[in-house]
């Protein structure tokens, strides 16, 4: 009881804490006094401490199954394994809000305690923005959904957690999605801070690059893991249903991917400034929209939603964020001008722009489909909805284009390139990709079903992307070996070490291409068969034979469940591989039975068997699927994590301050280095290289002259000033 | 033509293509989305269009024939009203019980039954307290 009271009290007190924090942040911004700045930092820590106390209290109540609290009663029961009592923390509406606040205040504290360029000026504003968001959740928790609501009488038993959710996935998937969603608050807060302070250089991008990448990584893991969970647990043979809740997680991930690419253009070239602000705002807004859709119940989804009373809070909050940010962007529009112009149509800058358009196109299509029931009802009075065919029809061609661009993009030089040059570097991987892609398609056709044009182009594009990454690695390593005379392994390691961002990014490209292969394989060549079998019957699907040899029943640990299973002996080419045991679990407490999938996974195909039911005379009905290459999706997922981690790993040298306003010369030197690299990699041919180099060198010489002249003038003026002052002070000294 | 203009043209073309893609896909893949009562209020002509209907399962009407893989059941609005018979060829999902919300996509047949090509069951989510499900099952 005491612990519960402490938690409830901490949550109430959080109101006062956030309100006082806001005072401290505002004071720190207005007075720029160091005492207030320190207080502003401390305030962020205090917020975290209060939320942590409340969270610890709720966890204690859940673990000890204190049935006086309605939240505990709703989501746990006495027999529930410890890990799911802990998972109940984020399993329900009120608890997940507390978990949300915990992560948000933790992020806020870490940010407030950091130091970076211009942090004295930026941090109080960032802290203020994060605190306002925290205040919003504090209000929702205290007014709308309090996890510490007491029941008048203690309940006799808890409701427990739905058996389908009692899966290790429950501990991994929601947490990752939350960590991702919440993380976008930080880059968004920095972007707004930049606008408020009228500081439109790339500082905010450099400071928040890791925040964006980490959030993007968590959200990506959450999405892939969620797909995997659904595949292994739900027994429908697929992993992605274009359900509104799935879409809600994918939308901010897509815009964040676009943002990660376009931020490179701003950091290196000082272009696309307004665009980046818009993208991160959109990402944050879509993460809010996702939460709103999940919790408001405005859309029908296969995921059951909450009752909907929280929806209005989110709606108001989203409206405030949107109006505020859009106004700010409009007001600051003039200072968001690019530092330089596009120089050529074929250049890395425009390749990045095309990337952004494709990603935003996919985002728009998915968003449109998701809110289509709402839009159509508002405009025509009839609710219309779209389903998987719509999403596939739009997104699969776009995905093929994105993968093609992913293959070509790295070979396009910055500033100015030409189609001929690009062709020269990509023709070999492309021809190889076509050969490999057609061979794979023929093989898949022989094994499974007829191919479609889209599937074939998807396979070719994926191979193309894989091969270009391999080529890029091989060429870079070779170039280094020639220069340094070291072995290939040393060169590879040095290369990764020296340019983690670039080569980590390429690993992510490789991962996505492998995932694409998995999606094409399992999506286009999937075969399925439903068969009623008596004991002794054999079903044949693809290369496998499954012989039904009998059924059995096993008791659960505490007698609360009974599991009925079937034994299927699997053979391939006459050789016995093993026994698959699909089953169904029945619950004593009246929950409807659940099916358990039996999987035989091999890198090239999964045999996926579900027992749909039983009939009289020892017959059972089986649903058999072969999902070719579906494992590639999960392998790609691991590689995706690895690539992002390589890219995240801190570089020893602090990054060059490339896009500082007015640092023209540094930018030019950077261009020269790029040109050198591109030339060595064969992306720019000899004549073009000489010409561009000459041009750049002339511009550098001019800028250097300019810089020198300015320095001399400033020195002269300074000397003058000192002389004058010195003169003045001596007279002043004499007079006193 | 300046670089900027060329880029703008390219962008407009790409955006236009994506727009067309969305437009054709919407017209091909959208269905009316109604509740059971709304469905009965529609004109007979509209009733035979591809439609998506949401309702709740009437437990006593579930007829599952595993041998033929045929699932027959009635759906009704939460608030009551006329029930619609749904015929679905395929697996019976988990959690297929009385009062459980369901979405079916398909077409009305001349015999008055609704042939569903797709059947979606609300999956029990973390945001819904278990007691609602328990009530539904009892």
């Amino acid at each position: 009881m005491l612990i519960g009271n402490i938690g409830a009290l901490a949550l109430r007190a959080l109101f006062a804490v956030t309100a006082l924090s806001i005072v401290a942040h505002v004071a720190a911004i207005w007075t720029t006094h160091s005492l207030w700045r320190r207080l502003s930092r401390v305030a962020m820590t205090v917020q975290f401490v209060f939320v942590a106390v409340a969270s610890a209290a709720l966890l204690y109540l859940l673990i000890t199954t204190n049935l006086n609290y309605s939240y505990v009663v709703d989501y746990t029961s006495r027999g529930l394994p410890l890990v799911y009592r802990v998972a109940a923390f984020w399993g329900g509406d009120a608890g997940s809000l507390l978990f949300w606040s915990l992560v948000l205040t933790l992020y806020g504290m870490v940010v407030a305690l950091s130091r970076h360029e211009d942090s004295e000026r930026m941090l109080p504003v960032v802290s203020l923005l994060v605190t306002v968001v925290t205040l919003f959740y504090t209000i929702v928790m205290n007014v709308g959904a309090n996890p510490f609501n007491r029941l008048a009488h203690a309940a006799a038993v808890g409701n427990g957690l739905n058996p389908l959710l009692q899966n290790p996935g429950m501990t991994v998937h929601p947490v990752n999605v939350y960590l991702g969603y919440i993380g976008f608050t930080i880059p968004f807060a920095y972007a707004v801070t930049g606008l408020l302070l009228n500081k439109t250089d790339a500082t905010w991008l450099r400071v928040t690059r890791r925040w964006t990448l980490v959030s993007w990584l968590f959200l990506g893991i959450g999405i892939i893991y969620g797909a995997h969970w659904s595949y292994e647990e739900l027994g429908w043979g697929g992993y992605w249903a274009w359900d509104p809740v799935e879409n809600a997680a994918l939308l901010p991930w897509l815009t964040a991917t676009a943002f990660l690419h376009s931020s490179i253009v701003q950091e290196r070239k000082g272009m696309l400034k307004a665009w980046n602000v818009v993208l991160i705002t959109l990402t944050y807004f879509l993460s809010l929209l996702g939460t709103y859709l999940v919790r408001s119940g405005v859309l029908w989804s296969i995921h059951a939603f909450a009752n909907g009373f929280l929806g209005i809070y989110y709606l108001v909050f989203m409206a405030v964020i949107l109006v505020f940010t859009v106004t700010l962007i409009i007001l600051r529009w003039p200072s968001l001008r690019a530092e330089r112009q596009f120089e050529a149509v074929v250049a890395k800058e425009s390749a990045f722009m095309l990337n952004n358009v494709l990603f935003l196109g996919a985002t728009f299509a998915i968003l449109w489909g998701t809110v289509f029931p709402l839009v159509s009802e508002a405009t025509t009075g009839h609710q219309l909805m779209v389903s998987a065919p719509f999403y596939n029809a739009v997104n699969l061609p776009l995905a093929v284009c994105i993968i093609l661009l992913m293959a070509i993009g790295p070979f396009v030089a910055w500033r100015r390139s030409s189609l001929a040059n690009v062709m020269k570097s990509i023709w070999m991987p492309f021809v190889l990709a076509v050969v490999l892609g057609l061979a794979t398609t023929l093989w898949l056709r022989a094994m499974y079903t007829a191919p479609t044009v889209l599937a074939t182009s998807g396979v070719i594009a994926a191979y193309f992307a894989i091969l270009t990454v391999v080529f890029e690695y091989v060429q870079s390593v070779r170039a280094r070996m020639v220069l340094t005379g070291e072995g290939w392994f040393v060169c590879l390691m040095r290369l990764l070490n020296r340019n983690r961002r670039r080569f980590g990014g390429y690993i992510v490209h490789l991962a996505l291409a492998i995932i694409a292969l998995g999606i094409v394989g399992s999506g286009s060549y999937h075969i399925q068969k439903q068969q009623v079998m008596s004991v002794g019957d054999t079903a044949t699907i693809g290369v496998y034979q499954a012989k039904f040899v009998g059924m059995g029943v096993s008791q659960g640990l505490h007698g609360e469940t009974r599991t009925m299973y079937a034994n299927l002996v699997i053979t391939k080419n006459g050789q016995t591989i093993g026994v698959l045991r699909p089953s169904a679990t029945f619950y004593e407490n009246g929950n409807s039975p659940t099916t358990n999938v039996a999987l035989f996974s091999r890198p090239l195909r999964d045999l996926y068997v579900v027992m749909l039911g039983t009939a009289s005379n020892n017959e059972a009905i089986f649903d058999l699927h072969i999902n070719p290459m579906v494992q590639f999706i999960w392998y790609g997922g691991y590689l995706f994590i690895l690539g992002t981690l390589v890219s995240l790993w801190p570089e020893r040298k602090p990054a060059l301050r490339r896009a500082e306003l007015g640092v023209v010369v540094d930018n030019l030197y950077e261009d020269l280095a790029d040109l050198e690299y591109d030339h060595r990699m064969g992306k720019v041919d000899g004549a073009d290289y000489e010409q561009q180099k000459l041009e750049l060198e002339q511009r550098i010489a001019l800028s250097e002259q300019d810089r020198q002249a300015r320095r001399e003038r400033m020195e002269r003026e300074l000397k003058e000033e000192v002389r004058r002052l010195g003169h003045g002070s001596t007279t002043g000294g004499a007079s006193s | 033509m300046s670089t900027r203009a060329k880029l703008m043209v390219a962008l407009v073309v790409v955006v236009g293509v994506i727009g067309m893609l969305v437009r054709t896909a919407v017209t091909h893949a959208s269905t009316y989305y109604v509740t059971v009562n709304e469905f009965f209020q529609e004109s007979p002509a509209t009733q035979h269009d591809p439609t998506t209907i949401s309702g709740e399962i009437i437990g006593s009407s579930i007829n599952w024939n595993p041998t033929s893989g045929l699932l027959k059941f009635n759906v009704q609005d939460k608030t009551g009203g006329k029930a619609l018979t749904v015929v679905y060829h395929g697996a019976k999902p988990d959690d297929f019980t009385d009062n459980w919300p369901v979405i079916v996509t398909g077409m009305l047949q001349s015999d008055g039954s609704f042939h569903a090509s797709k059947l979606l069951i609300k999956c029990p989510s973390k945001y819904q307290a278990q007691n609602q499900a328990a009530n539904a099952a009892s």
Side-chain angles (χ1 to χ4, degrees):
Chain A
M1 221 38 56
L2 176 70
I3 302 283
N5 287 338
I6 291 175
L9 208 64
L11 211 54
R12 289 267 181 257
L14 190 61
F15 247 141
V17 171
T18 40
L20 287 174
S21 305
I22 289 178
V23 173
H25 301 321
V26 171
I29 296 165
W30 283 116
T31 65
T32 63
H33 196 287
S34 69
L35 174 70
W36 283 112
R37 268 210 296 268
R38 216 171 302 147
L39 272 177
S40 154
R41 283 172 198 264
V42 171
M44 297 306 279
T45 312
V46 176
Q47 282 176 35
F48 171 70
V49 169
F50 273 77
V51 182
V53 167
S55 304
L58 184 62
L59 266 177
Y60 178 83
L61 295 179
L62 288 166
I63 291 171
T64 57
T65 330
N66 188 327
L67 296 176
N68 286 302
Y69 291 87
S70 64
Y71 189 77
V72 179
V73 174
D74 282 344
Y75 297 99
T76 62
S77 59
R78 290 235 159 83
L80 198 68
L82 177 68
V83 60
Y84 300 118
R85 274 179 279 162
V86 173
F89 180 22
W90 50 81
D93 220 351
S96 67
L97 282 168
L98 185 58
F99 182 70
W100 194 285
S101 315
L102 181 70
V103 177
L104 183 63
T105 49
L106 173 70
Y107 284 178
M109 182 178 75
V110 172
V111 165
L113 295 178
S114 70
R115 276 178 205 284
H116 51 77
E117 51 176 306
D118 216 5
S119 57
E120 297 285 287
R121 214 153 62 96
M122 292 181 90
L123 278 183
V125 187
V126 173
S127 305
L128 175 66
L129 294 165
V130 175
T131 307
V132 170
V133 179
T134 310
L135 179 66
F136 164 71
Y137 289 106
T138 311
I139 292 172
V140 178
M141 274 189 292
N142 276 295
V143 183
N146 193 325
F148 293 101
N149 268 345
R150 287 270 293 273
L151 293 168
H153 306 285
V157 286
N159 287 317
L161 194 69
N162 188 299
L164 284 178
L165 297 179
Q166 291 186 29
N167 175 288
M170 187 60 199
T171 57
V172 181
H173 167 67
V175 175
N176 272 300
V177 174
Y178 285 161
L179 288 174
Y181 265 0
I182 303 164
F184 290 127
T185 315
I186 306 299
F188 170 70
Y190 268 95
V192 172
T193 301
L195 291 179
L196 284 170
L197 297 174
N198 210 355
K199 176 180 165 58
T200 56
D201 60 13
T203 311
W204 71 277
L205 288 175
R206 276 194 299 279
V207 174
T208 62
R209 190 182 84 90
R210 292 221 160 72
W211 284 102
T212 314
L213 259 181
V214 168
S215 314
W216 180 78
L217 174 66
F218 277 130
L219 193 55
I221 296 174
I223 291 169
I224 297 175
Y225 197 94
H228 198 176
W229 183 16
S230 151
Y231 178 70
E232 293 200 332
E233 187 68 14
L234 294 181
W236 59 292
Y239 42 83
W240 191 264
W242 294 110
D243 181 77
V245 173
E246 294 170 356
N247 295 348
L250 186 62
L251 289 170
W253 189 85
L254 288 173
T255 50
T257 312
F259 173 70
L260 281 174
H261 287 93
S262 70
S263 66
I264 300 175
V265 182
Q266 180 174 352
E267 271 192 69
R268 300 193 51 149
K269 304 285 158 183
M271 293 155 76
L272 303 183
K273 287 179 173 179
W275 184 236
N276 281 323
V277 177
V278 170
L279 273 183
I280 194 64
T281 306
L282 195 62
T283 306
Y284 183 61
F285 186 77
L286 286 173
S287 74
L288 285 178
L289 185 75
T291 342
Y292 167 70
L293 291 180
V294 173
R295 286 153 195 256
S296 65
V298 293
L299 288 173
W300 232 96
S301 150
I302 54 168
H303 294 69
F305 287 123
N307 296 331
F309 66 93
L310 286 184
I312 190 74
Y313 290 89
Y314 282 95
L315 218 51
V316 170
F317 185 59
M318 274 155 57
V320 170
I321 295 272
L322 197 65
V323 169
F324 172 73
T325 321
V326 169
T327 317
L328 197 59
I329 293 174
I330 293 172
L331 287 177
R332 290 288 186 248
W333 196 259
S335 53
L336 288 168
R337 284 264 294 277
E339 285 157 32
R340 49 169 114 179
Q341 298 293 319
F342 283 93
E343 292 182 37
V345 178
V346 183
K348 213 179 207 81
E349 288 90 329
S350 38
F352 275 128
M353 269 195 73
L354 185 58
N355 148 307
N356 274 223
V357 174
L358 292 174
F359 271 104
L360 282 195
T363 308
F364 170 74
I366 297 170
L367 181 65
W368 183 251
T370 309
V371 300
F372 195 58
L374 305 179
V375 175
S376 60
E377 185 168 33
T379 51
T380 65
H382 291 287
Q383 249 195 45
L384 284 161
M385 70 181 288
V386 292
S387 45
F390 163 78
Y391 294 105
N392 291 337
V394 181
N395 287 301
L396 296 182
L398 283 182
V400 172
C401 293
I402 288 175
I403 297 167
L404 281 175
L405 187 63
M406 194 167 92
I408 301 168
F411 287 95
V412 183
W414 285 101
R415 293 184 63 227
R416 217 182 290 171
S417 186
S418 69
L419 278 180
N421 272 333
V422 176
M423 288 299 176
K424 215 159 72 188
S425 348
I426 64 168
W427 74 266
M428 204 150 60
F430 184 72
V431 170
L432 259 176
V434 171
V435 172
L436 277 173
L438 290 178
T440 308
T441 303
L442 285 176
W443 174 73
L444 283 166
R445 197 181 86 139
M447 298 277 286
Y448 310 107
T449 52
T452 61
V453 175
L454 191 65
T456 311
S457 44
V459 171
I460 292 175
Y463 273 122
F464 187 26
I466 292 171
L467 286 170
T468 52
V469 171
V470 173
F471 270 59
E472 181 85 24
Y473 263 94
V474 169
Q475 281 183 337
S476 303
V477 167
R478 267 219 200 118
R480 229 192 131 77
M481 280 166 75
V482 169
L483 282 177
T484 61
E486 290 165 333
W488 68 270
F489 188 74
V490 179
C491 285
L492 178 67
M493 286 298 129
R494 289 261 161 84
L495 198 72
L496 276 175
N497 213 13
R498 286 285 287 261
N499 214 332
R500 293 190 180 125
R501 277 181 78 164
R502 185 200 290 250
F503 288 98
Y506 289 159
I507 295 177
V508 173
H509 280 187
L510 188 65
L512 290 172
I514 290 172
I515 290 177
L517 276 181
I519 292 173
V520 176
S522 58
S524 282
Y525 298 95
H526 156 254
I527 48 177
Q528 186 200 3
K529 189 176 201 176
Q530 238 179 63
Q531 192 163 333
V532 185
M533 290 162 82
S534 307
V535 173
D537 283 357
T538 300
T540 303
I541 184 164
V543 288
Y544 297 111
Q545 285 87 40
K547 187 174 180 191
F548 180 32
V549 293
M551 305 196 46
V553 173
S554 65
Q555 283 279 334
L557 208 54
H558 304 288
E560 287 164 345
T561 59
R562 275 173 306 123
T563 301
M564 184 169 69
Y565 58 85
N567 286 327
L568 295 169
V569 175
I570 308 297
T571 50
K572 183 185 171 191
N573 305 330
Q575 278 190 315
T576 305
I577 295 170
V579 176
L580 277 187
R581 191 174 270 188
S583 61
T585 305
F586 296 82
Y587 299 89
E588 292 299 324
N589 64 4
N591 275 344
S592 52
T594 53
T595 50
N596 309 307
V597 178
L599 257 182
F600 177 68
S601 290
R602 277 292 165 270
L604 289 181
R605 67 187 73 86
D606 272 17
L607 175 62
Y608 185 105
V609 184
V610 184
M611 182 170 66
L612 293 179
T614 52
S616 46
N617 7 315
N618 252 348
E619 281 183 332
I621 308 96
F622 297 98
D623 195 20
L624 303 114
H625 299 255
I626 286 194
N627 293 315
M629 293 154 82
V630 70
Q631 294 292 322
F632 282 35
I633 303 177
W634 326 131
Y635 298 156
Y638 295 121
L639 200 58
F640 164 76
I641 297 173
L642 177 78
T644 316
L645 288 180
V646 168
S647 189
L648 267 173
W649 214 259
E651 307 204 5
R652 251 172 306 167
K653 265 191 314 185
L656 280 174
R657 298 177 177 183
R658 288 165 182 136
E660 288 284 10
L661 204 65
V663 189
V664 187
V665 189
D666 284 356
N667 273 339
L668 288 173
Y669 277 120
E670 197 61 36
D671 283 351
L672 195 63
D674 281 342
L675 183 67
E676 201 67 46
Y677 177 81
D678 288 339
H679 176 56
R680 202 166 302 154
M681 297 292 298
K683 293 174 196 171
V684 178
D685 64 15
D688 216 20
Y689 163 73
E690 291 299 336
Q691 194 206 335
Q692 285 197 38
K693 190 175 171 185
L694 200 69
E695 245 175 63
L696 270 174
E697 278 170 352
Q698 279 171 353
R699 280 169 67 183
I700 289 174
L702 275 176
S703 303
E704 284 286 20
Q705 269 176 19
D706 185 47
R707 186 151 84 169
Q708 191 63 27
R710 268 189 217 194
R711 199 148 92 206
E712 276 166 15
R713 203 179 67 210
M714 280 162 78
E715 271 169 11
R716 220 171 37 239
E717 281 171 8
L718 194 69
K719 235 182 253 166
E720 199 106 329
E721 195 77 353
V722 169
R723 203 171 49 83
R724 219 155 40 89
L725 277 175
H727 189 66
S729 72
T730 40
T731 48
S735 72
S736 64
Chain B
M1 205 151 74
S2 73
T3 305
R4 209 185 156 78
K6 278 188 213 159
L7 273 174
M8 285 310 281
V9 170
L11 273 187
V12 168
V13 169
V14 173
V15 171
V17 168
I18 295 174
M20 288 298 293
L21 209 58
V22 172
R23 215 193 123 80
T24 38
V26 162
T27 35
H28 280 126
S30 63
T31 56
Y32 283 102
Y33 181 54
V34 290
T35 63
V36 180
N37 285 342
E38 284 166 0
F39 180 71
F40 281 122
Q41 281 159 17
E42 283 176 359
S43 69
T46 343
Q47 278 186 354
H48 289 274
D49 285 342
T51 309
T52 300
I53 303 175
S54 69
E56 290 188 348
I57 302 165
I58 302 175
S60 58
S61 70
I62 300 175
N63 180 347
W64 161 236
N65 182 347
T67 338
S68 57
L70 208 63
L71 179 64
K72 253 183 164 172
F73 59 96
N74 293 350
V75 287
Q76 197 179 28
D77 270 9
K78 203 186 188 121
T79 49
K82 217 170 138 188
L84 174 74
T85 304
V86 177
V87 179
Y88 173 70
H89 196 92
K92 190 177 96 165
D94 292 346
D95 276 327
F96 203 79
T97 44
D98 194 30
N99 290 345
W100 202 267
V102 62
I103 321 181
V104 288
T105 304
M107 267 205 275
L108 190 69
Q109 303 299 305
S110 43
D111 65 352
S113 68
F114 187 83
H115 276 220
S117 55
K118 216 173 93 188
L119 172 70
L120 282 180
I121 289 286
K122 239 184 183 183
C123 103
S125 173
K126 44 197 188 283
Y127 295 113
Q128 191 175 32
Q130 181 73 70
N131 57 350
Q132 290 162 290
N135 292 342
S138 60

